[in-house]
Amino acid sequence: MSLVTLLPFIVLIGAMFLMTRSAKKKQQQAADMRNHMQPGSGVRTIGGMYATVKEVSDDTVLLDAGPGVELLFAKNAIGAVLSDDEYNRIVHGVEHDLKSDVVPDDASSLTETDESAADAAAASDDKPVDLGKKDEAEETSDDAPAAEAKTDDEPKKTDGESDAK
């Protein structure tokens, strides 16, 4: 046999090896995640239920799903172990304070004194500029006499009519 006839088989075997290798790597990561669960950590089951780990044994996990509700799950039924911030955000609705994480775009805000910041805030609190389009009703109310004179001089047009002759 020549190398050309063996090449498709070699490529096929190589692709199968790479696919099984990545699947085994994902399974190993999931097993490591489940083995590192500790009591008190928040988890999400594969069914989508959020709970807190109460006890961990070899093959099972005792979860606290609420006051007086304890559930026994297989370790394989744990879909994800969540960080404390993520668990509190999802279950309790506690949002992380994002304003403390904001980084300014330029260094000028870092060098401003309180007085200059207050002056800048007072200057920006002037009447806001409206850049939106006005409705036709608002325009006619502002120019009511001019609009009445215009309607008397010209006949009203309907759709499809034009002044061209």
Side-chain angles (χ1 to χ4, degrees):
M1 288 192 157
S2 69
L3 185 63
V4 175
T5 56
L6 290 177
L7 188 62
F9 293 112
I10 294 170
V11 169
L12 183 64
I13 291 171
M16 288 174 48
F17 173 74
L18 291 175
M19 288 190 311
T20 58
R21 184 174 154 212
S22 66
K24 283 183 181 179
K25 186 184 267 187
K26 287 181 184 179
Q27 287 176 349
Q28 184 63 36
Q29 287 176 347
D32 288 342
M33 178 242 347
R34 289 183 190 112
N35 289 332
H36 286 90
M37 279 188 297
Q38 297 175 355
S41 59
V43 295
R44 182 183 67 237
T45 65
I46 58 174
M49 185 181 73
Y50 294 92
T52 306
V53 176
K54 196 165 188 180
E55 291 179 16
V56 179
S57 64
D58 292 338
D59 294 331
T60 60
V61 179
L62 185 63
L63 300 178
D64 183 18
V69 180
E70 293 179 355
L71 305 166
L72 185 64
F73 275 85
K75 269 190 177 179
N76 291 340
I78 303 300
V81 177
L82 307 173
S83 66
D84 290 337
D85 287 339
E86 185 178 7
Y87 182 77
N88 288 333
R89 181 182 59 81
I90 293 169
V91 175
H92 303 295
V94 176
E95 290 292 329
H96 180 67
D97 186 17
L98 297 177
K99 292 184 179 183
S100 64
D101 296 341
V102 174
V103 177
D105 291 339
D106 59 348
S108 63
S109 63
L110 299 174
T111 59
E112 285 183 352
T113 61
D114 291 337
E115 295 172 6
S116 62
D119 294 341
S124 66
D125 288 342
D126 292 341
K127 182 179 177 185
V129 178
D130 183 21
L131 299 177
K133 293 183 178 180
K134 289 185 177 180
D135 292 338
E136 290 182 22
E138 291 178 15
E139 289 178 7
T140 56
S141 65
D142 294 340
D143 303 326
E148 289 175 7
K150 189 182 249 187
T151 57
D152 293 339
D153 296 340
E154 297 180 15
K156 291 185 178 181
K157 296 180 185 176
T158 60
D159 288 340
E161 290 184 15
S162 66
D163 289 337
K165 293 184 181 180

